Amino acid sequence: GRDSLCYFSSVTDETGRCRKLFSIDDDTQLLPLINAVPSYQDGIEKLCRSGWVELNGKCGAGLESKNKGQECQTDKDCPTTRTGYYAKCKCGHNGKGTKYCDIEGADSEWQSAISTFKDYYENTRDCHPGEGFGECGKKDYFNSWKCKEMKALYYVELIEN
């Protein structure tokens, strides 16, 4: 089955390390830092118990956007639950050019997507690893997960649409 992902913990690693999904504790450095910036690897957040990677490249619970969905002008209008950190102020898809505060990892939309992925994963564990995280004969689980993931990913774009 597909119960692990491989990741590179250093930019000099020649081979990756494989870890079981949702097995790495919060505050564990997961992503290698390049000039103090984490080097993202697709799907890597699925290794964290929380299902989320913080901006510093460590597994973590994520932040909440205090003003999610509120109109904004700059990121500074979008404080999070951690002092000094801000959600993105992004343009929505509306005719007025209105910008809104985006969501963060601990917001309910992302938490719902992570929880739904876990349900999908538990019901598709025996699928061939070559299929990746595809439908795998479980269309309802797959569609539910992807729908919630897209709602979180495109949160701002869906406002007023």
Side-chain angles (χ1 to χ4, degrees), residues 31-101:
L31 296 175
L33 300 177
I34 302 172
N35 296 327
V37 177
S39 173
Y40 183 73
Q41 299 169 44
D42 190 42
I44 202 75
E45 66 281 351
K46 292 173 179 66
L47 291 176
C48 300
R49 286 190 201 286
S50 63
W52 194 257
V53 176
E54 300 276 354
L55 293 174
N56 60 8
K58 293 181 179 183
C59 291
L63 308 175
E64 283 185 70
S65 177
K66 290 183 176 182
N67 294 340
K68 73 179 186 179
Q70 302 289 321
E71 289 187 19
C72 58
Q73 296 301 311
T74 70
D75 291 353
K76 296 273 186 193
D77 297 327
C78 305
T80 66
T81 49
R82 187 176 300 153
T83 303
Y85 288 83
Y86 301 91
K88 292 287 181 202
C89 178
K90 293 172 52 177
C91 286
H93 287 288
N94 60 71
K96 297 179 259 175
T98 309
K99 293 164 70 173
Y100 300 96
C101 293

